[in-house]
Amino acid sequence: MTRSDAARKLRSTFLESLIGALRTLLETKHLYQSVHIKQRITDDFAVVGEGPREVQHLVLSEHTRLVAGRWFAIETDEHLRPMALRERDPPGLYFRPPDLKVFCGRCDRREAFNLISVSDALGTDATVMESSGPSPKQLFILKYQCQSCKSTPEVFMVERNALKLTLAGRAPMEVVEVSQVIPEAICCPLLSRIALSRCGHSIVT
Ligand SMILES: [Zn+2]
């Protein structure tokens, strides 16, 4: 492959890791928990006319560029965006956050949630990127809607700190999926007891 093929391949595997990490964060983690993006670098980056050392340098510099650069969360898959738009946009990594399967409080079960809109709360403020140095900070606001009940969308706030993604906020608040692990007869009294306890009432057993 050529140098540009190798860079494209590296970018593509990085994108896969980013989407996978984001899915894990939103589907399985709770508020303030984090995931780290781990890039899978395969060893078949043989570049025509380049020795192993040059290839290693190429992989490393491309990886550093991706980690240090700005990421643009978009609502359409990158390859589906018009070429004219892609050429005009500022350089960076463009990605579409994945659709999810998460618990819907209204449906009372796990349902498919589709991405409706996405934005970066820190916007295009260049000073934010410059001041954060080699660990770029971004704050993505992701809006999803349950495809079953189509009720009020759920909003997730994801903080990016270089390769670390943290679930920094969620509205409405996450509903605890207790019915999956605790029988219904026990579940409701238990929740009442937890609520009483959190309100400062003592529980007599
Ligand atoms: Zn629902």
Side-chain angles (χ1 to χ4, degrees):
M1 67 174 80
T2 63
R3 287 180 73 91
S4 58
D5 287 338
R8 207 173 302 121
K9 185 170 178 179
L10 201 79
R11 194 184 174 87
S12 156
T13 57
F14 186 85
L15 213 48
E16 277 176 32
S17 305
L18 164 58
I19 301 293
L22 195 52
R23 189 192 302 282
T24 300
L25 180 73
L26 299 178
E27 289 189 344
T28 67
K29 302 293 181 187
H30 305 293
L31 209 53
Y32 308 127
Q33 289 188 317
S34 304
V35 292
H36 288 83
I37 298 163
K38 295 186 181 78
Q39 182 165 24
R40 182 173 51 83
I41 299 176
T42 52
D43 52 9
D44 57 345
F45 276 93
V47 178
V48 177
E50 308 274 9
R53 184 166 290 197
E54 285 76 16
V55 172
Q56 194 181 21
H57 182 260
L58 169 72
V59 167
L60 200 64
S61 63
E62 183 62 21
H63 179 71
T64 305
R65 207 163 62 81
L66 288 169
V67 175
R70 184 156 184 240
W71 300 348
F72 296 86
I74 52 175
E75 286 133 28
T76 315
D77 283 319
E78 169 69 343
H79 67 277
L80 297 176
R81 298 168 71 226
M83 185 56 85
L85 204 63
R86 279 191 265 170
E87 285 171 351
R88 208 178 53 210
D89 282 339
L93 185 73
Y94 287 75
F95 71 101
R96 180 190 186 277
D99 293 327
L100 304 173
K101 189 125 191 200
V102 290
F103 187 78
C104 172
R106 187 162 175 168
C107 297
D108 198 28
R109 60 179 177 271
R110 278 189 169 253
E111 278 295 344
F113 276 68
N114 281 5
L115 181 73
I116 298 175
S117 68
V118 64
S119 60
D120 182 351
L122 298 179
T124 53
D125 189 349
T127 55
V128 173
M129 291 301 287
E130 283 160 16
S131 64
S132 52
S135 300
K137 287 186 175 56
Q138 293 188 261
L139 195 60
F140 299 110
I141 308 293
L142 313 172
K143 199 195 287 183
Y144 283 91
Q145 189 177 44
C146 171
Q147 290 308 288
S148 178
C149 64
K150 304 266 187 187
S151 59
T152 311
E154 302 228 358
V155 179
F156 296 84
M157 189 160 75
V158 176
E159 184 182 39
R160 175 204 169 196
N161 197 329
L163 289 175
K164 181 181 170 189
L165 300 175
T166 304
L167 185 58
R170 182 171 177 174
M173 291 283 281
E174 180 188 12
V175 177
V176 181
E177 196 178 355
V178 285
S179 58
Q180 294 289 315
V181 289
I182 306 174
E184 199 174 340
I186 303 171
C187 170
C188 290
L190 179 64
L191 283 181
S192 302
R193 285 158 60 89
I194 292 169
L196 281 170
S197 154
R198 283 179 182 170
C199 291
H201 296 277
S202 58
I203 299 168
V204 180
T205 54

